[in-house]
Amino acid sequence: MLLTTSPDAPAVPLYWRRAFPGGAEQARAARRFVACLLDGFPVLDDVLLAVDELVVNAVRHTKSGQAGGSFTVGIGCGGGGVVVSVADQGGPEEPVARDAGPLAESGRGLRTVALIAASWGWHGNESGRTVTAVFATGAGSTPG
């Protein structure tokens, strides 16, 4: 039996998730995972920058970066945008978009995400958090 849908039927949202070991070198693997899924997407460079920042934060500032730690990258696509999330194993501090000094070597990650994403936020506690960034690209945008 051949099933078809009408051209004006709403697109089905897509969602992917992948767990990674908690090492800093995994940021590259996470970017590659997302780049393959969203090849040709209009704001891919911004999405990849956000993934990198969120993964680095998870590894640096949470239990995910400790021996045996891990984090999970989630990508949701549909409805004219992309949602990127990184779930970590929690830590003592809450995620905050800070203003770093001009000579500071770090501290700009979440501020950068806040500037390039339509919105961002987080939920969770010291046992585990998920930080999410939303990228709007217009109705009907889907990966390449």
Side-chain angles (χ1 to χ4, degrees), residues 11-92:
V12 176
L14 303 172
Y15 185 77
W16 303 272
R17 260 177 35 159
R18 180 176 166 196
F20 295 87
E25 71 282 355
Q26 293 301 314
R28 180 178 179 197
R31 288 191 313 270
R32 191 174 16 214
F33 166 68
V34 174
C36 288
L37 293 171
L38 300 179
D39 184 37
F41 202 70
V43 294
L44 180 59
D45 290 340
D46 288 345
V47 171
L48 294 178
L49 177 57
V51 167
D52 189 69
E53 295 295 348
L54 298 179
V55 166
V56 168
N57 282 351
V59 172
R60 279 191 187 157
H61 302 294
T62 76
K63 297 173 203 161
S64 293
Q66 297 175 358
S70 65
F71 62 90
T72 301
V73 174
I75 301 293
C77 183
V82 170
V83 176
V84 176
S85 63
V86 175
D88 62 47
Q89 294 177 308

Coordinates of all heavy atoms in Angstrom, one line a residue, residues 11-92:
A11 N 4.4 19.6 8.4 CA 5.6 18.8 8.5 C 5.6 18.2 9.9 O 5.2 18.8 10.9 CB 6.8 19.6 8.3
V12 N 6.1 16.9 10.0 CA 6.2 16.3 11.3 C 7.5 16.7 11.9 O 8.6 16.7 11.3 CB 6.3 14.7 11.0 CG1 6.5 14.0 12.4 CG2 5.0 14.2 10.4
P13 N 7.5 17.2 13.1 CA 8.7 17.6 13.8 C 9.7 16.4 13.9 O 9.3 15.3 14.1 CB 8.3 18.0 15.2 CG 6.8 18.3 15.1 CD 6.3 17.3 14.0
L14 N 11.0 16.7 13.8 CA 12.0 15.7 13.9 C 12.8 15.9 15.2 O 13.0 17.1 15.6 CB 13.0 15.8 12.7 CG 12.3 15.6 11.3 CD1 13.4 15.9 10.3 CD2 11.8 14.2 11.2
Y15 N 13.3 14.8 15.8 CA 14.0 15.0 17.1 C 15.1 13.9 17.1 O 14.8 12.7 16.8 CB 13.1 14.9 18.3 CG 13.9 15.1 19.6 CD1 14.2 16.4 20.0 CD2 14.2 14.0 20.4 CE1 14.9 16.6 21.1 CE2 14.9 14.3 21.6 CZ 15.3 15.6 21.9 OH 16.0 15.8 23.1
W16 N 16.3 14.3 17.4 CA 17.4 13.3 17.6 C 18.1 13.6 18.9 O 18.2 14.7 19.4 CB 18.5 13.5 16.5 CG 17.9 13.4 15.1 CD1 17.8 12.3 14.4 CD2 17.5 14.5 14.2 NE1 17.3 12.6 13.1 CE2 17.1 13.9 13.0 CE3 17.4 15.9 14.4 CZ2 16.7 14.7 12.0 CZ3 16.9 16.6 13.4 CH2 16.6 16.0 12.1
R17 N 18.7 12.5 19.5 CA 19.4 12.6 20.7 C 20.6 11.7 20.6 O 20.5 10.6 20.1 CB 18.6 12.2 21.9 CG 18.0 13.2 22.7 CD 17.1 12.7 23.8 NE 17.6 11.5 24.4 CZ 17.2 11.1 25.6 NH1 16.4 11.9 26.3 NH2 17.7 10.0 26.2
R18 N 21.7 12.2 21.2 CA 22.9 11.3 21.3 C 23.7 11.6 22.5 O 23.9 12.8 22.9 CB 23.8 11.5 20.1 CG 25.0 10.7 20.1 CD 25.8 10.8 18.8 NE 27.2 10.2 19.1 CZ 28.2 10.4 18.3 NH1 28.1 11.2 17.2 NH2 29.4 9.9 18.6
A19 N 24.1 10.6 23.2 CA 25.0 10.8 24.4 C 26.4 10.7 24.0 O 26.8 10.0 23.1 CB 24.7 9.7 25.4
F20 N 27.3 11.5 24.8 CA 28.7 11.6 24.5 C 29.4 11.5 25.9 O 28.9 11.9 26.9 CB 29.1 13.0 24.0 CG 28.5 13.2 22.6 CD1 27.2 13.8 22.5 CD2 29.2 13.0 21.4 CE1 26.7 14.0 21.2 CE2 28.7 13.2 20.2 CZ 27.4 13.8 20.1
P21 N 30.6 10.9 25.8 CA 31.5 10.9 27.0 C 31.8 12.3 27.4 O 31.8 13.2 26.6 CB 32.7 10.1 26.6 CG 32.4 9.4 25.3 CD 31.3 10.2 24.7
G22 N 32.1 12.6 28.7 CA 32.2 13.9 29.2 C 33.6 14.6 29.0 O 34.0 15.3 29.9
G23 N 34.3 14.3 27.9 CA 35.6 15.0 27.7 C 35.5 16.2 26.8 O 34.6 16.3 25.9
A24 N 36.4 17.1 26.9 CA 36.4 18.4 26.1 C 36.5 18.1 24.6 O 35.9 18.8 23.8 CB 37.5 19.3 26.6
E25 N 37.2 17.0 24.3 CA 37.4 16.6 22.9 C 36.0 16.2 22.2 O 36.0 16.1 21.0 CB 38.4 15.5 22.7 CG 38.0 14.2 23.2 CD 38.0 14.0 24.8 OE1 38.5 14.9 25.5 OE2 37.5 12.9 25.2
Q26 N 35.0 16.0 23.0 CA 33.7 15.6 22.5 C 32.9 16.7 21.9 O 32.0 16.5 21.2 CB 32.9 14.9 23.6 CG 33.5 13.5 24.0 CD 33.6 12.6 22.9 OE1 32.7 12.4 22.1 NE2 34.8 11.9 22.8
A27 N 33.4 18.0 22.1 CA 32.7 19.1 21.5 C 32.7 19.0 20.0 O 31.7 19.2 19.3 CB 33.3 20.4 22.0
R28 N 33.8 18.6 19.4 CA 34.0 18.4 18.0 C 33.0 17.3 17.5 O 32.3 17.5 16.5 CB 35.4 18.0 17.6 CG 35.6 17.8 16.2 CD 37.1 17.5 15.9 NE 37.2 17.3 14.4 CZ 38.3 16.7 13.9 NH1 39.3 16.3 14.6 NH2 38.3 16.6 12.6
A29 N 32.9 16.2 18.2 CA 32.0 15.1 17.8 C 30.6 15.6 17.9 O 29.8 15.2 17.0 CB 32.3 13.9 18.7
A30 N 30.2 16.4 18.9 CA 28.9 16.9 19.0 C 28.5 17.8 17.8 O 27.4 17.7 17.3 CB 28.7 17.6 20.3
R31 N 29.5 18.7 17.5 CA 29.2 19.6 16.3 C 29.1 18.8 15.0 O 28.2 19.1 14.2 CB 30.4 20.6 16.2 CG 30.5 21.6 17.2 CD 31.5 22.7 16.9 NE 32.8 22.2 16.4 CZ 33.8 22.0 17.2 NH1 33.7 22.2 18.5 NH2 35.0 21.5 16.7
R32 N 29.9 17.8 14.9 CA 29.8 16.9 13.6 C 28.4 16.2 13.6 O 27.8 16.1 12.5 CB 30.9 16.0 13.6 CG 31.1 15.2 12.3 CD 32.3 14.4 12.2 NE 32.9 14.1 13.6 CZ 34.2 14.0 13.8 NH1 35.0 14.1 12.9 NH2 34.6 13.8 15.0
F33 N 28.0 15.7 14.7 CA 26.6 15.1 14.8 C 25.5 16.0 14.4 O 24.7 15.7 13.5 CB 26.4 14.6 16.3 CG 25.0 14.2 16.6 CD1 24.4 13.1 16.1 CD2 24.3 15.0 17.5 CE1 23.1 12.7 16.5 CE2 23.0 14.6 17.9 CZ 22.4 13.5 17.4
V34 N 25.6 17.2 14.9 CA 24.5 18.2 14.6 C 24.7 18.7 13.1 O 23.7 18.8 12.4 CB 24.6 19.4 15.5 CG1 23.7 20.5 15.1 CG2 24.3 19.0 16.9
A35 N 25.9 18.9 12.6 CA 26.1 19.4 11.3 C 25.6 18.3 10.3 O 25.0 18.7 9.2 CB 27.6 19.6 11.0
C36 N 25.8 17.1 10.5 CA 25.2 16.0 9.6 C 23.7 16.0 9.6 O 23.1 15.9 8.5 CB 25.7 14.7 10.0 SG 27.5 14.4 9.7
L37 N 23.1 16.2 10.7 CA 21.6 16.2 10.8 C 21.0 17.5 10.1 O 19.9 17.4 9.5 CB 21.2 16.2 12.2 CG 21.5 14.9 13.0 CD1 21.2 15.0 14.4 CD2 20.7 13.7 12.3
L38 N 21.7 18.6 10.3 CA 21.1 19.9 9.8 C 21.8 20.4 8.6 O 21.7 21.6 8.3 CB 21.1 20.9 10.9 CG 20.4 20.5 12.2 CD1 20.5 21.6 13.3 CD2 18.9 20.2 11.9
D39 N 22.4 19.6 7.8 CA 23.1 20.0 6.6 C 22.2 20.9 5.7 O 21.1 20.5 5.4 CB 23.6 18.8 5.8 CG 24.5 19.2 4.6 OD1 25.2 20.2 4.7 OD2 24.4 18.6 3.6
G40 N 22.7 22.1 5.4 CA 21.9 23.0 4.5 C 20.9 23.9 5.3 O 20.2 24.7 4.7
F41 N 20.8 23.7 6.6 CA 19.9 24.5 7.4 C 20.3 26.0 7.4 O 21.5 26.3 7.5 CB 19.8 24.0 8.8 CG 18.5 24.3 9.5 CD1 17.3 23.8 9.1 CD2 18.5 25.3 10.5 CE1 16.1 24.2 9.7 CE2 17.4 25.6 11.2 CZ 16.2 25.1 10.8
P42 N 19.4 26.9 7.3 CA 19.8 28.4 7.1 C 20.6 28.9 8.2 O 21.5 29.8 7.9 CB 18.4 29.1 7.0 CG 17.4 28.1 6.6 CD 18.0 26.7 7.2
V43 N 20.5 28.5 9.4 CA 21.3 29.1 10.5 C 22.2 28.1 11.1 O 22.6 28.1 12.3 CB 20.4 29.7 11.6 CG1 19.6 30.9 11.1 CG2 19.4 28.7 12.2
L44 N 22.7 27.2 10.3 CA 23.6 26.1 10.8 C 24.8 26.6 11.6 O 25.1 26.1 12.6 CB 24.0 25.2 9.7 CG 24.9 24.0 10.1 CD1 24.2 23.1 11.1 CD2 25.3 23.2 8.8
D45 N 25.5 27.6 11.1 CA 26.7 28.1 11.8 C 26.3 28.6 13.2 O 27.1 28.3 14.1 CB 27.3 29.3 11.0 CG 28.0 28.8 9.7 OD1 28.3 27.6 9.6 OD2 28.2 29.7 8.8
D46 N 25.2 29.3 13.4 CA 24.8 29.7 14.7 C 24.5 28.5 15.6 O 24.8 28.5 16.8 CB 23.6 30.7 14.6 CG 24.0 32.0 14.1 OD1 25.2 32.4 14.0 OD2 23.0 32.8 13.7
V47 N 23.8 27.6 15.0 CA 23.4 26.4 15.8 C 24.7 25.7 16.3 O 24.8 25.2 17.4 CB 22.5 25.4 15.0 CG1 22.4 24.1 15.7 CG2 21.2 26.1 14.7
L48 N 25.7 25.5 15.4 CA 26.9 24.8 15.7 C 27.7 25.6 16.8 O 28.3 25.0 17.7 CB 27.8 24.6 14.5 CG 27.2 23.6 13.5 CD1 28.1 23.5 12.2 CD2 27.0 22.3 14.1
L49 N 27.7 26.9 16.7 CA 28.4 27.7 17.7 C 27.7 27.5 19.1 O 28.4 27.3 20.1 CB 28.3 29.2 17.4 CG 28.9 30.2 18.4 CD1 30.4 29.8 18.7 CD2 28.8 31.6 17.9
A50 N 26.4 27.5 19.1 CA 25.6 27.2 20.4 C 25.9 25.8 20.9 O 26.1 25.7 22.1 CB 24.1 27.4 20.1
V51 N 25.9 24.8 20.1 CA 26.2 23.5 20.5 C 27.6 23.5 21.2 O 27.8 22.9 22.2 CB 26.2 22.5 19.3 CG1 26.8 21.1 19.7 CG2 24.7 22.3 18.9
D52 N 28.6 24.1 20.5 CA 29.9 24.1 21.0 C 30.0 24.8 22.4 O 30.5 24.2 23.4 CB 30.9 24.8 20.1 CG 32.3 24.7 20.5 OD1 32.9 23.6 20.4 OD2 32.9 25.7 20.9
E53 N 29.3 25.9 22.6 CA 29.3 26.6 23.8 C 28.6 25.8 24.9 O 29.1 25.7 26.1 CB 28.7 28.0 23.7 CG 29.4 29.0 22.8 CD 30.8 29.4 23.3 OE1 31.1 29.1 24.5 OE2 31.5 30.0 22.5
L54 N 27.5 25.2 24.6 CA 26.8 24.5 25.6 C 27.5 23.2 26.0 O 27.5 22.8 27.2 CB 25.4 24.1 25.1 CG 24.5 25.3 24.8 CD1 23.1 24.8 24.3 CD2 24.3 26.2 26.0
V55 N 28.2 22.5 25.1 CA 28.9 21.3 25.4 C 30.1 21.7 26.3 O 30.4 21.1 27.3 CB 29.4 20.6 24.1 CG1 30.4 19.5 24.4 CG2 28.2 19.9 23.5
V56 N 30.9 22.7 25.9 CA 32.0 23.1 26.7 C 31.6 23.5 28.1 O 32.3 23.1 29.1 CB 32.8 24.3 26.0 CG1 33.8 24.9 26.9 CG2 33.4 23.8 24.7
N57 N 30.5 24.2 28.2 CA 30.0 24.6 29.6 C 29.7 23.3 30.4 O 30.0 23.2 31.6 CB 28.8 25.5 29.5 CG 29.1 26.9 29.2 OD1 30.3 27.3 29.2 ND2 28.1 27.7 28.9
A58 N 29.0 22.3 29.7 CA 28.6 21.1 30.4 C 29.9 20.4 30.9 O 29.9 19.9 32.1 CB 27.8 20.2 29.5
V59 N 30.9 20.3 30.1 CA 32.2 19.6 30.5 C 33.0 20.4 31.6 O 33.5 19.8 32.5 CB 33.0 19.3 29.3 CG1 34.4 18.8 29.6 CG2 32.2 18.4 28.3
R60 N 33.0 21.7 31.4 CA 33.8 22.5 32.4 C 33.1 22.8 33.7 O 33.8 22.8 34.7 CB 34.1 23.9 31.8 CG 35.2 23.9 30.8 CD 35.5 25.4 30.5 NE 36.5 25.4 29.4 CZ 36.7 26.4 28.6 NH1 36.0 27.5 28.7 NH2 37.6 26.4 27.7
H61 N 31.8 22.9 33.7 CA 31.1 23.4 34.9 C 30.2 22.4 35.6 O 29.5 22.8 36.6 CB 30.3 24.7 34.6 CG 31.2 25.8 34.0 ND1 32.2 26.4 34.7 CD2 31.2 26.3 32.8 CE1 32.8 27.3 33.9 NE2 32.2 27.3 32.7
T62 N 30.1 21.2 35.1 CA 29.2 20.2 35.7 C 29.9 18.9 36.0 O 31.1 18.7 35.5 CB 28.0 20.0 34.9 OG1 28.3 19.1 33.8 CG2 27.3 21.3 34.4
K63 N 29.3 18.0 36.6 CA 29.8 16.6 36.8 C 30.0 15.9 35.5 O 30.7 14.9 35.5 CB 28.8 15.9 37.8 CG 28.7 16.5 39.1 CD 27.6 15.8 39.9 CE 27.1 16.7 41.0 NZ 25.8 16.2 41.5
S64 N 29.5 16.4 34.5 CA 29.7 15.7 33.2 C 31.1 15.7 32.8 O 31.5 14.8 32.0 CB 28.8 16.4 32.1 OG 27.5 16.2 32.3
G65 N 31.9 16.6 33.2 CA 33.3 16.7 32.9 C 34.2 15.9 33.8 O 35.4 15.8 33.5
Q66 N 33.7 15.2 34.8 CA 34.5 14.4 35.7 C 34.6 13.0 35.1 O 33.9 12.6 34.2 CB 33.8 14.3 37.1 CG 33.7 15.7 37.7 CD 32.9 15.7 39.0 OE1 32.4 14.6 39.4 NE2 32.8 16.8 39.7
A67 N 35.5 12.2 35.7 CA 35.8 10.9 35.2 C 34.5 10.1 35.2 O 33.7 10.1 36.1 CB 36.8 10.2 36.1
G68 N 34.2 9.5 34.0 CA 33.0 8.7 33.9 C 31.8 9.5 33.5 O 30.7 9.0 33.4
G69 N 31.9 10.8 33.4 CA 30.8 11.7 33.1 C 30.3 11.6 31.7 O 31.0 11.1 30.8
S70 N 29.2 12.2 31.4 CA 28.6 12.2 30.1 C 27.7 13.4 29.9 O 27.3 14.0 30.9 CB 27.9 10.9 29.7 OG 26.8 10.7 30.5
F71 N 27.3 13.7 28.7 CA 26.3 14.7 28.4 C 25.5 14.2 27.2 O 26.0 13.3 26.5 CB 26.9 16.1 28.2 CG 27.8 16.1 27.0 CD1 27.3 16.4 25.7 CD2 29.2 15.9 27.2 CE1 28.2 16.5 24.6 CE2 30.0 15.9 26.1 CZ 29.5 16.2 24.8
T72 N 24.3 14.8 27.0 CA 23.5 14.4 25.9 C 23.1 15.6 25.1 O 22.7 16.6 25.7 CB 22.2 13.6 26.4 OG1 22.6 12.5 27.1 CG2 21.3 13.2 25.2
V73 N 23.2 15.5 23.8 CA 22.8 16.6 22.9 C 21.5 16.2 22.2 O 21.4 15.1 21.7 CB 23.9 16.8 21.8 CG1 23.4 17.8 20.7 CG2 25.2 17.3 22.4
G74 N 20.5 17.1 22.3 CA 19.3 16.9 21.6 C 19.0 18.0 20.6 O 19.4 19.1 20.8
I75 N 18.5 17.5 19.4 CA 18.1 18.5 18.4 C 16.7 18.2 18.0 O 16.3 17.1 17.6 CB 19.0 18.2 17.1 CG1 20.5 18.4 17.5 CG2 18.6 19.1 16.0 CD1 20.9 19.7 17.8
G76 N 15.9 19.3 18.0 CA 14.5 19.3 17.5 C 14.4 20.2 16.4 O 14.9 21.3 16.4
C77 N 13.7 19.7 15.3 CA 13.6 20.5 14.1 C 12.1 20.4 13.6 O 11.6 19.4 13.5 CB 14.5 19.9 13.1 SG 14.6 20.9 11.5
G78 N 11.6 21.6 13.3 CA 10.2 21.7 12.8 C 9.6 23.0 13.2 O 10.1 23.7 14.1
G79 N 8.5 23.3 12.6 CA 7.8 24.5 12.9 C 8.5 25.8 12.6 O 8.3 26.8 13.3
G80 N 9.4 25.7 11.7 CA 10.2 26.9 11.3 C 11.4 27.2 12.2 O 11.9 28.3 12.2
G81 N 11.9 26.2 12.9 CA 13.1 26.4 13.7 C 13.8 25.2 14.2 O 13.4 24.1 13.9
V82 N 14.8 25.4 15.0 CA 15.6 24.3 15.6 C 15.7 24.6 17.0 O 16.0 25.7 17.5 CB 17.0 24.3 14.9 CG1 17.9 23.3 15.7 CG2 16.9 23.8 13.5
V83 N 15.6 23.5 17.8 CA 15.8 23.6 19.3 C 17.0 22.7 19.6 O 17.1 21.6 19.2 CB 14.6 23.1 20.1 CG1 14.9 23.1 21.5 CG2 13.4 24.0 19.7
V84 N 18.0 23.3 20.2 CA 19.2 22.6 20.6 C 19.3 22.5 22.1 O 19.0 23.5 22.8 CB 20.5 23.4 20.2 CG1 21.8 22.7 20.7 CG2 20.5 23.6 18.7
S85 N 19.5 21.3 22.7 CA 19.6 21.2 24.1 C 20.8 20.3 24.5 O 21.2 19.4 23.7 CB 18.4 20.6 24.7 OG 18.1 19.3 24.2
V86 N 21.5 20.6 25.6 CA 22.5 19.8 26.1 C 22.2 19.5 27.6 O 22.0 20.4 28.4 CB 23.9 20.5 26.0 CG1 25.0 19.7 26.8 CG2 24.3 20.8 24.6
A87 N 22.0 18.2 27.9 CA 21.7 17.8 29.2 C 23.0 17.3 29.9 O 23.7 16.5 29.3 CB 20.7 16.7 29.1
D88 N 23.3 17.8 31.1 CA 24.5 17.4 31.8 C 24.1 16.7 33.1 O 23.0 16.5 33.4 CB 25.4 18.7 32.0 CG 24.7 19.7 32.9 OD1 24.1 19.4 33.9 OD2 24.7 20.9 32.5
Q89 N 25.1 16.4 33.9 CA 24.9 15.7 35.1 C 24.9 16.6 36.3 O 25.0 16.1 37.4 CB 26.0 14.6 35.2 CG 25.8 13.6 34.2 CD 26.9 12.5 34.2 OE1 28.1 12.8 34.2 NE2 26.5 11.2 34.2
G90 N 24.7 17.9 36.1 CA 24.5 18.8 37.2 C 25.8 19.3 37.8 O 26.9 18.7 37.6
G91 N 25.7 20.4 38.5 CA 26.8 21.0 39.2 C 26.4 22.0 40.2 O 25.2 22.2 40.4
P92 N 27.3 22.7 40.9 CA 26.9 23.6 42.0 C 26.4 24.9 41.5 O 25.7 25.6 42.3 CB 28.3 23.8 42.7 CG 29.3 23.5 41.7 CD 28.7 22.5 40.8

